[in-house]
Every structure is written in structure tokens, then in C-alpha cells.
Amino acid sequence: MLPESPPAAEQQLVARLRAQDESAMTEFYDKYSAALYGVILRIVRREEEAEDVLQEAMVKIWHSFQSYDASKGRLFTWVLNVCRNLAIDKIRSRQYRVSSHSQPLDESPAERQPAVDSFRPEHIGLQELTRRLNPEQRQIVDLLYFEGYTQSEVADELNMPLGTVKTRARAAIKVLSTLIR
Amino acid sequence: MNIEEYIESGQLELYALQQLSPAEAAEVERLAAEHPPIRAELISVQRALGLYAEAHALTPPAGLRERVLSGFQQAIQPQSAAEPATPTEPAAPYIAPAAPHYEAAPAETVVRTLPAAEAGSGFRWLAIAASVALLLSLGANWLFYSRWQQSENQLVLAQAKEQLYAAATQAVEKRLATRTEELGILRDEQFRMVVMTGTPQAPGARARVMYNPVSRRVYVDVKNLPAAPSGKQYQLWALDKGKPVDAGMLAQTTAVGDSLQRMKDVASAQAFAVTLEDAGGHPTPTMAALTVMGQML
């Protein structure tokens, strides 16, 4: 099964970004900001920092756009990784500065505000996802994806062999995949 | 290679989660390019993660759109003016424009491996700023060093001066003590003043003796004595019932009238006289060389 090629709108946006058309970034923002902001906020947990990271990410995406290879995957996957990396860098540098100020997750604004504006038709809410993933699976994905943990850190944290981290991550993502169809 | 096994291994998931080393990630990309089933699975994994990310989507607060977009415009403006649409190398791996977060890779590497003009320019500015800071620092070092040297020299000078002052003060204190003593003698009522006047050999010569019969102390104060020829020295005599008693030699400074000089103690005297003797003195006065003489009143 080969994946379908990206929609024409995405191809157009990519072409404009590659041509360094600044107005394309406005369209980019309108299309992706909610998803990117949500992920960034989930990682950094502070609204001002999330805003900074989002802006940094826009600049980084703009300047490094030539390194995006559409044949290897969707634009969203690529920009998501740019944002995740910047956000994780942010919390890592913060951990060096102050370790005591991190907010607990349930106080994070991400938990209070409703998710809106999806650009994907198959969008599923967080409630639905958490219902489908069992707690162990969700924990592993969250640690790896949102907390900036390495696999070995996860293995240490959850006191399990490295191989188990790998198979649980696969199992969790498999569950997520089934929700797309 | 067994493609099924590879797909089941979980390596693709780790790739999508950016948990692989650059070498491992490159391996995944190579296999995905070679084997369509691996590529399809990889894209499916990425979509699944995208879905999970999207489930966290959240409309940014009001005003953020304007701030971020204008901040973005500002951030890219200098670069787009300086180097319009410079293509950056498209060689970076697809999934990770930044190095994957695997193992203990420091967060910083993630930013630096991005072949982004912004990052490069940021580094350039940092380098320029660092160079300027270094130059300023060198200038400041030189300035501080020369000032320090200057201060060192001034300190040495000041210390030398202070020693001079200390020595001068000591001398002054010594002289003050002398003068205080002299004043004490002059004001002391027990002291008897004996004025000695010049003999026919030295008509202009004048000197005084202060004598305290109780304490037996004798001081001599020269007003005017002819300069002693070399090898000669003035000697004071106390005359007790006509008999001369040696009262000591006058120092050169005393002879020229600089200050009072304490002489040998004298038990009893009715008159004093000064003769010019050979340096070091003589047991008996040379009457021919009698210069001044005076009776106690």
C-alpha cells in the first residue's frame, strides 16, 4: 500500500515556501498553527514560551525549507518535528536553569482549552485517543514524544528493558494507525 | 533481509519519534527508499503520530497570530534583504532537519545541525559580537594594565616620599625635644645665668653658661666665638675657688651658636671660662688661649 500523494493545496503551499514567498507563511500559519501550538504548549507548558517557540519555529521552517523533501513525507510531519525539537530544546535548557518551576500537567492550559480547527478530515479528539490507548501505551508515547525522553531514559524511568520500550511504542502507534482508517 | 521482521521491530516508530542516531536514521531512510512496504509503513507511522499530535491541537490565544506573524517578518527581514532567496543545501534527512533526540545528544546539537540561513546568520552575529567583545576586552586589558603600572609607579614614589617625611618628622621631633629641653632650662629658676665676655684676644666674643648648683648641670650657649682653626677646639672650664675644673669640650655646632650643649656636671663654681685648646682638650687650661670668661653673680 503506497500512501496517497499530498493534496494539491499542500503541494502549492510547499512550492510557494520553496520560492520564499513570504505571504505563504501566513497561509501556513492559518493552516497549521493550532496543531503546532497545541503540541508546543503540551511540551513547554507555558503560554509565553509556546508563543516564542512557535515564532522561532516559523523562522526556522522558513530558512531551512530547502531541506524539506516532499518525497519523504508530508509537510505536517516535517514541521511538527521542527516544532517538537525546538520545544524540547526549550524545556531542556530550562531544566538546566530552574528545575523546580515546572507546572504539573493538570494545571497546563492545554488541558483546559478545547481543541478546534482541524485541517485533517480524520481528526480525532484527545478524549477519543486516550480512550483507545491504554495508560501504558499513552505514557510511553508521551514520554518519547512530548517530554523529550530518550528510549533509554524511558527504560530507566519505567524500569523495563530497552526492547520493551520499542515494542510498546510500536503497539501504541499501531493503535493510533487504526484510528486513521 | 526480512521486511516483515524489520517492520515489526519497532525501528520505524523510533525513527518517527526521532530516537535514532544519525547513522541509524540514515539506514531507515535508505531501506524506506529501497522497499516500498517499509516506506508505506513508515508513512503510516508518521501519520499516526501526526494524528496524535493533532489531537492536542489548540487555538492559540487572541493576538498571537499578529504577534507571531509580525515577529516572523521582523526575524527574516535582515536576512532576506542581505541574501534574497539563497538556496540552502537540501541534503538534510527528511524526518529530522535537526539531529534526532536520541541517547544523550545535547539539546544544542539539534539546533546547530539545521542548515538554516537563520541559524548560520545567528552564528555569524554571535561570532561578530564575540570578536567585538574580545577586542573591547583586549583594549580594556591594555588600559587597565597601563593604569595599574602607573599606579604602581605612583605608589613607589608615594612610599619614598612618605619615608622622607617620616625621616624629616623624626628630625623635627628630635629638634623640638632639644628646644623644649633648652626652653625648660631657660625657664628653670634654679639655673644661674653666667655671662662670659671676650678677653682682649677676642673682644667681640660672647657666651653664656647656665648652671644649676642643685642638680649640678651645666649648659653652654654661644653667642659669638671666633671660628676655631682646624685641629683646635673650645673647652669649657669651671673655676671653683680659683681652681679650673674641666667642664667638657664644645661641639662644633655649639661653637657656632646653633644650640645649647649640656656639659659635664660641676659640683661647685664661681666663674666659667672658655679656652681654645687642641682638639680633644687639655687637662689644664692654656691661659694664653683664654677666649671668654665670666663671674657668677
Side-chain angles (χ1 to χ4, degrees), chain A residues 120-141:
Chain A
R120 296 234 243 177
E122 67 267 32
H123 172 68
I124 296 166
L126 194 57
Q127 298 285 317
E128 172 72 3
L129 280 183
T130 47
R131 202 170 54 77
R132 301 287 186 94
L133 286 178
N134 69 39
E136 286 171 340
Q137 290 168 335
R138 193 185 175 200
Q139 185 180 36
I140 285 214
V141 174

mmCIF file with all atom_site columns, all heavy atoms in Angstrom, chain A residues 120-141:
data_model
loop_
_atom_site.group_PDB
_atom_site.id
_atom_site.type_symbol
_atom_site.label_atom_id
_atom_site.label_alt_id
_atom_site.label_comp_id
_atom_site.label_asym_id
_atom_site.label_entity_id
_atom_site.label_seq_id
_atom_site.pdbx_PDB_ins_code
_atom_site.Cartn_x
_atom_site.Cartn_y
_atom_site.Cartn_z
_atom_site.occupancy
_atom_site.B_iso_or_equiv
_atom_site.pdbx_formal_charge
_atom_site.auth_seq_id
_atom_site.auth_comp_id
_atom_site.auth_asym_id
_atom_site.auth_atom_id
_atom_site.pdbx_PDB_model_num
ATOM 1   N N   . ARG A 1 120 ? -7.325  18.356 9.157  1.00 0.00 ? 120 ARG A N   1
ATOM 2   C CA  . ARG A 1 120 ? -7.395  16.998 8.632  1.00 0.00 ? 120 ARG A CA  1
ATOM 3   C C   . ARG A 1 120 ? -8.792  16.443 8.858  1.00 0.00 ? 120 ARG A C   1
ATOM 4   O O   . ARG A 1 120 ? -9.340  16.539 9.957  1.00 0.00 ? 120 ARG A O   1
ATOM 5   C CB  . ARG A 1 120 ? -6.396  16.114 9.360  1.00 0.00 ? 120 ARG A CB  1
ATOM 6   C CG  . ARG A 1 120 ? -4.963  16.562 9.102  1.00 0.00 ? 120 ARG A CG  1
ATOM 7   C CD  . ARG A 1 120 ? -4.166  15.427 8.600  1.00 0.00 ? 120 ARG A CD  1
ATOM 8   N NE  . ARG A 1 120 ? -3.097  15.111 9.513  1.00 0.00 ? 120 ARG A NE  1
ATOM 9   C CZ  . ARG A 1 120 ? -2.267  14.081 9.327  1.00 0.00 ? 120 ARG A CZ  1
ATOM 10  N NH1 . ARG A 1 120 ? -2.413  13.288 8.309  1.00 0.00 ? 120 ARG A NH1 1
ATOM 11  N NH2 . ARG A 1 120 ? -1.317  13.848 10.163 1.00 0.00 ? 120 ARG A NH2 1
ATOM 12  N N   . PRO A 1 121 ? -9.342  15.845 7.830  1.00 0.00 ? 121 PRO A N   1
ATOM 13  C CA  . PRO A 1 121 ? -10.708 15.337 7.971  1.00 0.00 ? 121 PRO A CA  1
ATOM 14  C C   . PRO A 1 121 ? -10.798 14.217 9.000  1.00 0.00 ? 121 PRO A C   1
ATOM 15  O O   . PRO A 1 121 ? -11.837 14.054 9.630  1.00 0.00 ? 121 PRO A O   1
ATOM 16  C CB  . PRO A 1 121 ? -11.031 14.834 6.570  1.00 0.00 ? 121 PRO A CB  1
ATOM 17  C CG  . PRO A 1 121 ? -9.714  14.654 5.892  1.00 0.00 ? 121 PRO A CG  1
ATOM 18  C CD  . PRO A 1 121 ? -8.780  15.628 6.511  1.00 0.00 ? 121 PRO A CD  1
ATOM 19  N N   . GLU A 1 122 ? -9.680  13.468 9.156  1.00 0.00 ? 122 GLU A N   1
ATOM 20  C CA  . GLU A 1 122 ? -9.768  12.321 10.056 1.00 0.00 ? 122 GLU A CA  1
ATOM 21  C C   . GLU A 1 122 ? -9.471  12.702 11.506 1.00 0.00 ? 122 GLU A C   1
ATOM 22  O O   . GLU A 1 122 ? -9.212  11.859 12.338 1.00 0.00 ? 122 GLU A O   1
ATOM 23  C CB  . GLU A 1 122 ? -8.830  11.196 9.601  1.00 0.00 ? 122 GLU A CB  1
ATOM 24  C CG  . GLU A 1 122 ? -7.355  11.512 9.710  1.00 0.00 ? 122 GLU A CG  1
ATOM 25  C CD  . GLU A 1 122 ? -6.765  12.092 8.419  1.00 0.00 ? 122 GLU A CD  1
ATOM 26  O OE1 . GLU A 1 122 ? -7.500  12.791 7.695  1.00 0.00 ? 122 GLU A OE1 1
ATOM 27  O OE2 . GLU A 1 122 ? -5.586  11.851 8.148  1.00 0.00 ? 122 GLU A OE2 1
ATOM 28  N N   . HIS A 1 123 ? -9.496  13.998 11.774 1.00 0.00 ? 123 HIS A N   1
ATOM 29  C CA  . HIS A 1 123 ? -9.145  14.457 13.108 1.00 0.00 ? 123 HIS A CA  1
ATOM 30  C C   . HIS A 1 123 ? -9.987  13.808 14.203 1.00 0.00 ? 123 HIS A C   1
ATOM 31  O O   . HIS A 1 123 ? -11.200 13.716 14.110 1.00 0.00 ? 123 HIS A O   1
ATOM 32  C CB  . HIS A 1 123 ? -9.303  15.975 13.191 1.00 0.00 ? 123 HIS A CB  1
ATOM 33  C CG  . HIS A 1 123 ? -9.133  16.483 14.575 1.00 0.00 ? 123 HIS A CG  1
ATOM 34  N ND1 . HIS A 1 123 ? -7.931  16.434 15.212 1.00 0.00 ? 123 HIS A ND1 1
ATOM 35  C CD2 . HIS A 1 123 ? -10.007 17.022 15.447 1.00 0.00 ? 123 HIS A CD2 1
ATOM 36  C CE1 . HIS A 1 123 ? -8.075  16.936 16.425 1.00 0.00 ? 123 HIS A CE1 1
ATOM 37  N NE2 . HIS A 1 123 ? -9.339  17.307 16.598 1.00 0.00 ? 123 HIS A NE2 1
ATOM 38  N N   . ILE A 1 124 ? -9.309  13.373 15.234 1.00 0.00 ? 124 ILE A N   1
ATOM 39  C CA  . ILE A 1 124 ? -9.986  12.746 16.358 1.00 0.00 ? 124 ILE A CA  1
ATOM 40  C C   . ILE A 1 124 ? -9.582  13.484 17.619 1.00 0.00 ? 124 ILE A C   1
ATOM 41  O O   . ILE A 1 124 ? -8.423  13.887 17.770 1.00 0.00 ? 124 ILE A O   1
ATOM 42  C CB  . ILE A 1 124 ? -9.583  11.260 16.476 1.00 0.00 ? 124 ILE A CB  1
ATOM 43  C CG1 . ILE A 1 124 ? -10.056 10.515 15.240 1.00 0.00 ? 124 ILE A CG1 1
ATOM 44  C CG2 . ILE A 1 124 ? -10.152 10.630 17.737 1.00 0.00 ? 124 ILE A CG2 1
ATOM 45  C CD1 . ILE A 1 124 ? -9.445  9.160  15.094 1.00 0.00 ? 124 ILE A CD1 1
ATOM 46  N N   . GLY A 1 125 ? -10.482 13.677 18.507 1.00 0.00 ? 125 GLY A N   1
ATOM 47  C CA  . GLY A 1 125 ? -10.185 14.413 19.735 1.00 0.00 ? 125 GLY A CA  1
ATOM 48  C C   . GLY A 1 125 ? -9.300  13.633 20.686 1.00 0.00 ? 125 GLY A C   1
ATOM 49  O O   . GLY A 1 125 ? -9.153  12.418 20.591 1.00 0.00 ? 125 GLY A O   1
ATOM 50  N N   . LEU A 1 126 ? -8.721  14.383 21.608 1.00 0.00 ? 126 LEU A N   1
ATOM 51  C CA  . LEU A 1 126 ? -7.826  13.807 22.583 1.00 0.00 ? 126 LEU A CA  1
ATOM 52  C C   . LEU A 1 126 ? -8.530  12.768 23.458 1.00 0.00 ? 126 LEU A C   1
ATOM 53  O O   . LEU A 1 126 ? -7.970  11.723 23.780 1.00 0.00 ? 126 LEU A O   1
ATOM 54  C CB  . LEU A 1 126 ? -7.268  14.939 23.454 1.00 0.00 ? 126 LEU A CB  1
ATOM 55  C CG  . LEU A 1 126 ? -6.071  14.626 24.328 1.00 0.00 ? 126 LEU A CG  1
ATOM 56  C CD1 . LEU A 1 126 ? -4.918  14.104 23.499 1.00 0.00 ? 126 LEU A CD1 1
ATOM 57  C CD2 . LEU A 1 126 ? -5.652  15.867 25.090 1.00 0.00 ? 126 LEU A CD2 1
ATOM 58  N N   . GLN A 1 127 ? -9.776  13.077 23.796 1.00 0.00 ? 127 GLN A N   1
ATOM 59  C CA  . GLN A 1 127 ? -10.564 12.158 24.625 1.00 0.00 ? 127 GLN A CA  1
ATOM 60  C C   . GLN A 1 127 ? -10.643 10.786 23.990 1.00 0.00 ? 127 GLN A C   1
ATOM 61  O O   . GLN A 1 127 ? -10.387 9.773  24.619 1.00 0.00 ? 127 GLN A O   1
ATOM 62  C CB  . GLN A 1 127 ? -11.991 12.709 24.787 1.00 0.00 ? 127 GLN A CB  1
ATOM 63  C CG  . GLN A 1 127 ? -12.051 14.045 25.489 1.00 0.00 ? 127 GLN A CG  1
ATOM 64  C CD  . GLN A 1 127 ? -11.815 13.910 26.973 1.00 0.00 ? 127 GLN A CD  1
ATOM 65  O OE1 . GLN A 1 127 ? -12.356 12.992 27.597 1.00 0.00 ? 127 GLN A OE1 1
ATOM 66  N NE2 . GLN A 1 127 ? -11.012 14.787 27.525 1.00 0.00 ? 127 GLN A NE2 1
ATOM 67  N N   . GLU A 1 128 ? -10.967 10.821 22.687 1.00 0.00 ? 128 GLU A N   1
ATOM 68  C CA  . GLU A 1 128 ? -11.124 9.574  21.953 1.00 0.00 ? 128 GLU A CA  1
ATOM 69  C C   . GLU A 1 128 ? -9.814  8.784  21.933 1.00 0.00 ? 128 GLU A C   1
ATOM 70  O O   . GLU A 1 128 ? -9.785  7.582  22.176 1.00 0.00 ? 128 GLU A O   1
ATOM 71  C CB  . GLU A 1 128 ? -11.589 9.903  20.522 1.00 0.00 ? 128 GLU A CB  1
ATOM 72  C CG  . GLU A 1 128 ? -11.621 8.739  19.553 1.00 0.00 ? 128 GLU A CG  1
ATOM 73  C CD  . GLU A 1 128 ? -12.760 7.751  19.834 1.00 0.00 ? 128 GLU A CD  1
ATOM 74  O OE1 . GLU A 1 128 ? -13.554 8.033  20.754 1.00 0.00 ? 128 GLU A OE1 1
ATOM 75  O OE2 . GLU A 1 128 ? -12.822 6.718  19.155 1.00 0.00 ? 128 GLU A OE2 1
ATOM 76  N N   . LEU A 1 129 ? -8.701  9.516  21.683 1.00 0.00 ? 129 LEU A N   1
ATOM 77  C CA  . LEU A 1 129 ? -7.404  8.851  21.606 1.00 0.00 ? 129 LEU A CA  1
ATOM 78  C C   . LEU A 1 129 ? -7.018  8.217  22.930 1.00 0.00 ? 129 LEU A C   1
ATOM 79  O O   . LEU A 1 129 ? -6.558  7.081  22.978 1.00 0.00 ? 129 LEU A O   1
ATOM 80  C CB  . LEU A 1 129 ? -6.319  9.849  21.216 1.00 0.00 ? 129 LEU A CB  1
ATOM 81  C CG  . LEU A 1 129 ? -6.210  10.196 19.744 1.00 0.00 ? 129 LEU A CG  1
ATOM 82  C CD1 . LEU A 1 129 ? -5.030  11.127 19.539 1.00 0.00 ? 129 LEU A CD1 1
ATOM 83  C CD2 . LEU A 1 129 ? -6.040  8.942  18.906 1.00 0.00 ? 129 LEU A CD2 1
ATOM 84  N N   . THR A 1 130 ? -7.219  8.983  24.003 1.00 0.00 ? 130 THR A N   1
ATOM 85  C CA  . THR A 1 130 ? -6.802  8.454  25.299 1.00 0.00 ? 130 THR A CA  1
ATOM 86  C C   . THR A 1 130 ? -7.665  7.268  25.695 1.00 0.00 ? 130 THR A C   1
ATOM 87  O O   . THR A 1 130 ? -7.245  6.395  26.433 1.00 0.00 ? 130 THR A O   1
ATOM 88  C CB  . THR A 1 130 ? -6.862  9.536  26.391 1.00 0.00 ? 130 THR A CB  1
ATOM 89  O OG1 . THR A 1 130 ? -8.107  10.213 26.297 1.00 0.00 ? 130 THR A OG1 1
ATOM 90  C CG2 . THR A 1 130 ? -5.744  10.525 26.227 1.00 0.00 ? 130 THR A CG2 1
ATOM 91  N N   . ARG A 1 131 ? -8.883  7.243  25.150 1.00 0.00 ? 131 ARG A N   1
ATOM 92  C CA  . ARG A 1 131 ? -9.749  6.118  25.445 1.00 0.00 ? 131 ARG A CA  1
ATOM 93  C C   . ARG A 1 131 ? -9.246  4.852  24.740 1.00 0.00 ? 131 ARG A C   1
ATOM 94  O O   . ARG A 1 131 ? -9.318  3.756  25.275 1.00 0.00 ? 131 ARG A O   1
ATOM 95  C CB  . ARG A 1 131 ? -11.175 6.434  24.990 1.00 0.00 ? 131 ARG A CB  1
ATOM 96  C CG  . ARG A 1 131 ? -12.264 5.624  25.686 1.00 0.00 ? 131 ARG A CG  1
ATOM 97  C CD  . ARG A 1 131 ? -13.634 6.181  25.351 1.00 0.00 ? 131 ARG A CD  1
ATOM 98  N NE  . ARG A 1 131 ? -13.859 6.290  23.915 1.00 0.00 ? 131 ARG A NE  1
ATOM 99  C CZ  . ARG A 1 131 ? -14.162 5.242  23.129 1.00 0.00 ? 131 ARG A CZ  1
ATOM 100 N NH1 . ARG A 1 131 ? -14.241 4.035  23.633 1.00 0.00 ? 131 ARG A NH1 1
ATOM 101 N NH2 . ARG A 1 131 ? -14.383 5.424  21.847 1.00 0.00 ? 131 ARG A NH2 1
ATOM 102 N N   . ARG A 1 132 ? -8.692  5.069  23.525 1.00 0.00 ? 132 ARG A N   1
ATOM 103 C CA  . ARG A 1 132 ? -8.249  3.917  22.753 1.00 0.00 ? 132 ARG A CA  1
ATOM 104 C C   . ARG A 1 132 ? -6.890  3.385  23.210 1.00 0.00 ? 132 ARG A C   1
ATOM 105 O O   . ARG A 1 132 ? -6.643  2.190  23.160 1.00 0.00 ? 132 ARG A O   1
ATOM 106 C CB  . ARG A 1 132 ? -8.139  4.259  21.259 1.00 0.00 ? 132 ARG A CB  1
ATOM 107 C CG  . ARG A 1 132 ? -9.424  4.736  20.644 1.00 0.00 ? 132 ARG A CG  1
ATOM 108 C CD  . ARG A 1 132 ? -10.412 3.580  20.473 1.00 0.00 ? 132 ARG A CD  1
ATOM 109 N NE  . ARG A 1 132 ? -11.578 4.025  19.749 1.00 0.00 ? 132 ARG A NE  1
ATOM 110 C CZ  . ARG A 1 132 ? -11.711 3.895  18.427 1.00 0.00 ? 132 ARG A CZ  1
ATOM 111 N NH1 . ARG A 1 132 ? -10.756 3.331  17.725 1.00 0.00 ? 132 ARG A NH1 1
ATOM 112 N NH2 . ARG A 1 132 ? -12.786 4.341  17.821 1.00 0.00 ? 132 ARG A NH2 1
ATOM 113 N N   . LEU A 1 133 ? -6.008  4.326  23.586 1.00 0.00 ? 133 LEU A N   1
ATOM 114 C CA  . LEU A 1 133 ? -4.683  3.879  24.036 1.00 0.00 ? 133 LEU A CA  1
ATOM 115 C C   . LEU A 1 133 ? -4.801  3.451  25.494 1.00 0.00 ? 133 LEU A C   1
ATOM 116 O O   . LEU A 1 133 ? -5.455  4.129  26.284 1.00 0.00 ? 133 LEU A O   1
ATOM 117 C CB  . LEU A 1 133 ? -3.676  5.038  23.969 1.00 0.00 ? 133 LEU A CB  1
ATOM 118 C CG  . LEU A 1 133 ? -3.168  5.482  22.608 1.00 0.00 ? 133 LEU A CG  1
ATOM 119 C CD1 . LEU A 1 133 ? -2.227  6.666  22.783 1.00 0.00 ? 133 LEU A CD1 1
ATOM 120 C CD2 . LEU A 1 133 ? -2.447  4.349  21.906 1.00 0.00 ? 133 LEU A CD2 1
ATOM 121 N N   . ASN A 1 134 ? -4.152  2.339  25.841 1.00 0.00 ? 134 ASN A N   1
ATOM 122 C CA  . ASN A 1 134 ? -4.149  2.020  27.257 1.00 0.00 ? 134 ASN A CA  1
ATOM 123 C C   . ASN A 1 134 ? -3.121  2.912  27.957 1.00 0.00 ? 134 ASN A C   1
ATOM 124 O O   . ASN A 1 134 ? -2.253  3.495  27.310 1.00 0.00 ? 134 ASN A O   1
ATOM 125 C CB  . ASN A 1 134 ? -3.926  0.520  27.496 1.00 0.00 ? 134 ASN A CB  1
ATOM 126 C CG  . ASN A 1 134 ? -2.523  0.069  27.135 1.00 0.00 ? 134 ASN A CG  1
ATOM 127 O OD1 . ASN A 1 134 ? -1.559  0.783  27.395 1.00 0.00 ? 134 ASN A OD1 1
ATOM 128 N ND2 . ASN A 1 134 ? -2.419  -1.101 26.530 1.00 0.00 ? 134 ASN A ND2 1
ATOM 129 N N   . PRO A 1 135 ? -3.217  3.076  29.288 1.00 0.00 ? 135 PRO A N   1
ATOM 130 C CA  . PRO A 1 135 ? -2.351  4.025  30.004 1.00 0.00 ? 135 PRO A CA  1
ATOM 131 C C   . PRO A 1 135 ? -0.863  3.797  29.762 1.00 0.00 ? 135 PRO A C   1
ATOM 132 O O   . PRO A 1 135 ? -0.097  4.746  29.613 1.00 0.00 ? 135 PRO A O   1
ATOM 133 C CB  . PRO A 1 135 ? -2.706  3.793  31.469 1.00 0.00 ? 135 PRO A CB  1
ATOM 134 C CG  . PRO A 1 135 ? -4.072  3.201  31.446 1.00 0.00 ? 135 PRO A CG  1
ATOM 135 C CD  . PRO A 1 135 ? -4.164  2.407  30.179 1.00 0.00 ? 135 PRO A CD  1
ATOM 136 N N   . GLU A 1 136 ? -0.446  2.535  29.712 1.00 0.00 ? 136 GLU A N   1
ATOM 137 C CA  . GLU A 1 136 ? 0.982   2.244  29.480 1.00 0.00 ? 136 GLU A CA  1
ATOM 138 C C   . GLU A 1 136 ? 1.438   2.761  28.122 1.00 0.00 ? 136 GLU A C   1
ATOM 139 O O   . GLU A 1 136 ? 2.499   3.345  27.987 1.00 0.00 ? 136 GLU A O   1
ATOM 140 C CB  . GLU A 1 136 ? 1.226   0.732  29.522 1.00 0.00 ? 136 GLU A CB  1
ATOM 141 C CG  . GLU A 1 136 ? 1.170   0.157  30.905 1.00 0.00 ? 136 GLU A CG  1
ATOM 142 C CD  . GLU A 1 136 ? 1.207   -1.366 30.865 1.00 0.00 ? 136 GLU A CD  1
ATOM 143 O OE1 . GLU A 1 136 ? 0.899   -1.941 29.795 1.00 0.00 ? 136 GLU A OE1 1
ATOM 144 O OE2 . GLU A 1 136 ? 1.531   -1.967 31.897 1.00 0.00 ? 136 GLU A OE2 1
ATOM 145 N N   . GLN A 1 137 ? 0.581   2.498  27.112 1.00 0.00 ? 137 GLN A N   1
ATOM 146 C CA  . GLN A 1 137 ? 0.933   2.943  25.763 1.00 0.00 ? 137 GLN A CA  1
ATOM 147 C C   . GLN A 1 137 ? 1.007   4.462  25.704 1.00 0.00 ? 137 GLN A C   1
ATOM 148 O O   . GLN A 1 137 ? 1.919   5.045  25.128 1.00 0.00 ? 137 GLN A O   1
ATOM 149 C CB  . GLN A 1 137 ? -0.103  2.428  24.761 1.00 0.00 ? 137 GLN A CB  1
ATOM 150 C CG  . GLN A 1 137 ? -0.038  0.922  24.565 1.00 0.00 ? 137 GLN A CG  1
ATOM 151 C CD  . GLN A 1 137 ? -1.242  0.396  23.801 1.00 0.00 ? 137 GLN A CD  1
ATOM 152 O OE1 . GLN A 1 137 ? -2.317  1.020  23.813 1.00 0.00 ? 137 GLN A OE1 1
ATOM 153 N NE2 . GLN A 1 137 ? -1.069  -0.743 23.146 1.00 0.00 ? 137 GLN A NE2 1
ATOM 154 N N   . ARG A 1 138 ? 0.032   5.094  26.321 1.00 0.00 ? 138 ARG A N   1
ATOM 155 C CA  . ARG A 1 138 ? -0.016  6.552  26.277 1.00 0.00 ? 138 ARG A CA  1
ATOM 156 C C   . ARG A 1 138 ? 1.200   7.133  26.986 1.00 0.00 ? 138 ARG A C   1
ATOM 157 O O   . ARG A 1 138 ? 1.817   8.082  26.516 1.00 0.00 ? 138 ARG A O   1
ATOM 158 C CB  . ARG A 1 138 ? -1.299  7.045  26.944 1.00 0.00 ? 138 ARG A CB  1
ATOM 159 C CG  . ARG A 1 138 ? -1.520  8.506  26.619 1.00 0.00 ? 138 ARG A CG  1
ATOM 160 C CD  . ARG A 1 138 ? -2.684  9.113  27.329 1.00 0.00 ? 138 ARG A CD  1
ATOM 161 N NE  . ARG A 1 138 ? -2.696  10.537 27.004 1.00 0.00 ? 138 ARG A NE  1
ATOM 162 C CZ  . ARG A 1 138 ? -3.316  11.443 27.704 1.00 0.00 ? 138 ARG A CZ  1
ATOM 163 N NH1 . ARG A 1 138 ? -4.011  11.102 28.761 1.00 0.00 ? 138 ARG A NH1 1
ATOM 164 N NH2 . ARG A 1 138 ? -3.266  12.710 27.355 1.00 0.00 ? 138 ARG A NH2 1
ATOM 165 N N   . GLN A 1 139 ? 1.546   6.519  28.098 1.00 0.00 ? 139 GLN A N   1
ATOM 166 C CA  . GLN A 1 139 ? 2.691   7.006  28.861 1.00 0.00 ? 139 GLN A CA  1
ATOM 167 C C   . GLN A 1 139 ? 3.980   6.958  28.030 1.00 0.00 ? 139 GLN A C   1
ATOM 168 O O   . GLN A 1 139 ? 4.741   7.915  27.991 1.00 0.00 ? 139 GLN A O   1
ATOM 169 C CB  . GLN A 1 139 ? 2.849   6.147  30.114 1.00 0.00 ? 139 GLN A CB  1
ATOM 170 C CG  . GLN A 1 139 ? 3.929   6.646  31.045 1.00 0.00 ? 139 GLN A CG  1
ATOM 171 C CD  . GLN A 1 139 ? 4.059   5.767  32.261 1.00 0.00 ? 139 GLN A CD  1
ATOM 172 O OE1 . GLN A 1 139 ? 3.901   4.549  32.201 1.00 0.00 ? 139 GLN A OE1 1
ATOM 173 N NE2 . GLN A 1 139 ? 4.350   6.393  33.398 1.00 0.00 ? 139 GLN A NE2 1
ATOM 174 N N   . ILE A 1 140 ? 4.148   5.811  27.339 1.00 0.00 ? 140 ILE A N   1
ATOM 175 C CA  . ILE A 1 140 ? 5.375   5.671  26.543 1.00 0.00 ? 140 ILE A CA  1
ATOM 176 C C   . ILE A 1 140 ? 5.425   6.694  25.421 1.00 0.00 ? 140 ILE A C   1
ATOM 177 O O   . ILE A 1 140 ? 6.441   7.383  25.211 1.00 0.00 ? 140 ILE A O   1
ATOM 178 C CB  . ILE A 1 140 ? 5.478   4.231  25.983 1.00 0.00 ? 140 ILE A CB  1
ATOM 179 C CG1 . ILE A 1 140 ? 5.882   3.304  27.123 1.00 0.00 ? 140 ILE A CG1 1
ATOM 180 C CG2 . ILE A 1 140 ? 6.453   4.172  24.825 1.00 0.00 ? 140 ILE A CG2 1
ATOM 181 C CD1 . ILE A 1 140 ? 6.759   2.168  26.736 1.00 0.00 ? 140 ILE A CD1 1
ATOM 182 N N   . VAL A 1 141 ? 4.314   6.842  24.712 1.00 0.00 ? 141 VAL A N   1
ATOM 183 C CA  . VAL A 1 141 ? 4.297   7.811  23.609 1.00 0.00 ? 141 VAL A CA  1
ATOM 184 C C   . VAL A 1 141 ? 4.510   9.223  24.144 1.00 0.00 ? 141 VAL A C   1
ATOM 185 O O   . VAL A 1 141 ? 5.278   10.001 23.577 1.00 0.00 ? 141 VAL A O   1
ATOM 186 C CB  . VAL A 1 141 ? 2.985   7.707  22.806 1.00 0.00 ? 141 VAL A CB  1
ATOM 187 C CG1 . VAL A 1 141 ? 2.925   8.813  21.760 1.00 0.00 ? 141 VAL A CG1 1
ATOM 188 C CG2 . VAL A 1 141 ? 2.878   6.355  22.138 1.00 0.00 ? 141 VAL A CG2 1
#
